[in-house]
Amino acid sequence: MFIESADLGPLWLTLRLASVTTILLLIVGTPLAWWLARTNCRFKVVIEAVVALPLILPPTVLGFYLLIALGPNGPIGAFWQNVGGTPLVFSFTGLVIGSAIYSLPFVVQPLQSAFDSLGNGVLEAAASLRAGPIDRFFSVVLPLTRPGFLTAITLGFAHTVGEFGVVLMIGGNIPNKTKVISIAIFDHVEAIEYPQAHLLAGILLVFAFVVLLAVYAVNKHYRLART
Amino acid sequence: MIYIKQGLRKFFAGFALSVFFASAQAGEVNVAVAANFATTLEKLTKIFEAESGHKVLISSGSTGKLYAQIKLGAPFDVMLAADSERPQRMEAENLAVAGSRFTYATGRLVLWSVQPDKVDKEGRVLSQDTYRHLAIGNPKTAPYGTAARQVLEKMGLWEKIQPRLVQGEDIGQAFQFVVTGNAELGFVSLAQVKSAESKYPGSYWLVPDTFYQPITQQAVLLDRGRNNDAAIAFLGFLKGKPAQAVIESFGYK
């Protein structure tokens, strides 16, 4: 069985979307997770709850509000269009924003617990050796929390690959722009093209299993290495 | 323990009996309906329920999706498709009762925008550069999407328009893209536009029926509803004059 050329587009687009989203989430999520792990601010629990919202909200709820907020009459969409000139809905950028919100807890939560378990001792030791904050982050924090980063990257990436409801609501099913693999599978099933649906769904299934296997194996390896 | 078990048994027996009697008095019919007809059906359902005492449960989606679900044993008694092809196929595949098929409505396609004066009376706006997105139903699974494709092909615009095309799962979603202002234009059904008219006046072009194959919307009694009195009564009601008058008032022929 060979993959149709029409299905290569969605496959490639999905990988691109998941990569861009993961990178964006690392940039935004790392300081956020660091702040959550260190702060004594009273509003910490509120922010934690907001970060965790996408875990329990149906993607259609997210998609519905994104459709309105990112649309030409919505606050974000109107601003974007004034600055950049192109609408966000039905675009790759729109999908990246939607996916970043959708996958946020999958990146922030592992990072936060990694930073939590770090303790103050090592950082104080590094500070007493006159390491600056950036130096401390890259030469102390990063190596010690590597498993947390690996978990965050793999889960953020994999969760974005599996996204469906948000894209269905704001995507518009445009080849090479918003037609991701989950939508392509949905289309094949609707049109009773089961062999194609099987092939794509099978690829995703194997992919998800391999990713989870890697996450658990890495975590086990690091836990053993520490003890 | 034994007492509890007996109590439970009595409870379930009573429950089963009450369900049985309830169904003997007033039936229930599960209707699968094409997205474009959902609003009209809700109105019809109210009249039918008040008249007959039967209850109607509605599931809407694209005709193609509903057909695929029925093939896999979805629990529907009646199918109101947006085309004649799939009801025919269902009869041939013994998914539907032979001879139960009839046309309940003929759909009309419109090019619609929520912006007033956006759409002219000949659809010339389609070949201009004044819009970014055109929403249609999925031509593979939604008959109104197929009709939209035929119109664009007849106008020689299908290839050219590809980058601007956004596809909803059915025309319910295409409609939603237009309502939210995300697509300036959309091919939807006249019935949808009419039922939204008070809230979203907008502008539309009623596409001449020479531009596309007639959207003959057919109903069938599904195999599961074969002995369901409520389903049979509902189809009878749908064929009747009062129901047909309501259907016409919603923008069908």
Side-chain angles (χ1 to χ4, degrees), chain B residues 237-248:
Chain B
F237 163 79
L238 205 58
K239 276 183 203 162
K241 275 222 170 88
Q244 284 299 317
V246 172
I247 293 172
E248 254 174 57

Side-chain angles (χ1 to χ4, degrees), chain B residues 93-109:
Chain B
E93 290 168 348
N94 289 326
L95 295 166
V97 177
S100 68
R101 185 165 56 88
F102 69 97
T103 302
Y104 65 92
T106 304
R108 306 177 80 183
L109 189 71

Side-chain angles (χ1 to χ4, degrees), chain B residues 15-232:
Chain B
F15 182 70
L17 270 179
S18 68
V19 168
F20 176 77
F21 278 116
S23 65
Q25 287 159 0
E28 207 174 76
V29 47
N30 287 282
V31 180
V33 63
N36 72 88
F37 199 70
T39 346
T40 315
L41 182 60
E42 268 163 40
K43 168 91 181 185
L44 289 168
T45 296
K46 274 188 198 133
I47 303 171
F48 174 71
E49 284 182 339
E51 262 178 24
S52 68
H54 295 312
K55 191 145 181 47
V56 181
L57 302 167
I58 302 173
S59 310
S60 77
S62 73
T63 297
K65 177 173 91 182
L66 295 169
Y67 167 70
Q69 287 179 346
I70 289 163
K71 239 182 126 97
L72 293 173
F76 299 124
D77 303 304
V78 167
M79 162 82 161
L80 303 183
D83 64 2
S84 55
E85 186 205 324
R86 285 180 186 86
Q88 269 169 24
R89 238 195 276 172
M90 284 193 274
E91 261 190 345
E93 290 168 348
N94 289 326
L95 295 166
V97 177
S100 68
R101 185 165 56 88
F102 69 97
T103 302
Y104 65 92
T106 304
R108 306 177 80 183
L109 189 71
V110 295
L111 177 69
W112 180 57
S113 171
V114 274
Q115 302 167 33
D117 306 324
K118 181 86 184 172
V119 182
D120 55 282
K121 293 297 163 204
E122 274 114 33
R124 279 191 304 265
V125 63
L126 278 173
S127 42
Q128 292 161 2
D129 278 333
T130 52
Y131 66 98
R132 206 183 285 270
H133 293 300
L134 168 69
I136 67 168
N138 188 338
K140 261 184 168 173
T141 53
Y144 281 84
T146 317
R149 182 183 173 146
Q150 289 165 356
V151 172
L152 290 168
E153 278 171 347
K154 183 161 174 89
M155 295 174 88
L157 292 169
W158 178 249
E159 294 300 327
K160 205 183 136 212
I161 233 158
Q162 285 302 316
R164 300 184 192 186
L165 216 53
V166 287
Q167 251 179 51
E169 185 228 316
D170 50 31
I171 51 165
Q173 213 194 344
F175 187 79
Q176 169 196 320
F177 285 154
V178 180
V179 162
T180 51
N182 284 302
E184 293 92 336
L185 301 174
F187 275 109
V188 296
S189 75
L190 179 62
Q192 289 174 304
V193 173
K194 278 194 146 190
S195 57
E197 216 159 31
S198 54
K199 264 193 192 158
Y200 308 99
S203 53
Y204 69 85
W205 169 47
L206 184 59
V207 184
D209 38 17
T210 50
F211 278 54
Y212 56 94
Q213 297 281 316
I215 306 172
T216 308
Q217 303 199 194
Q218 291 199 326
V220 274
L221 179 63
L222 297 174
D223 194 50
R224 198 189 102 107
R226 189 180 284 276
N227 300 313
N228 181 339
D229 292 339
I232 294 161

Side-chain angles (χ1 to χ4, degrees), chain A residues 19-42:
Chain A
S19 311
V20 174
T21 304
T22 309
I23 292 167
L24 179 72
L25 277 178
L26 279 179
I27 296 169
V28 178
T30 307
L32 180 59
W34 182 259
W35 181 78
L36 284 172
R38 301 273 133 185
T39 187
N40 291 317
C41 173
R42 275 189 300 160

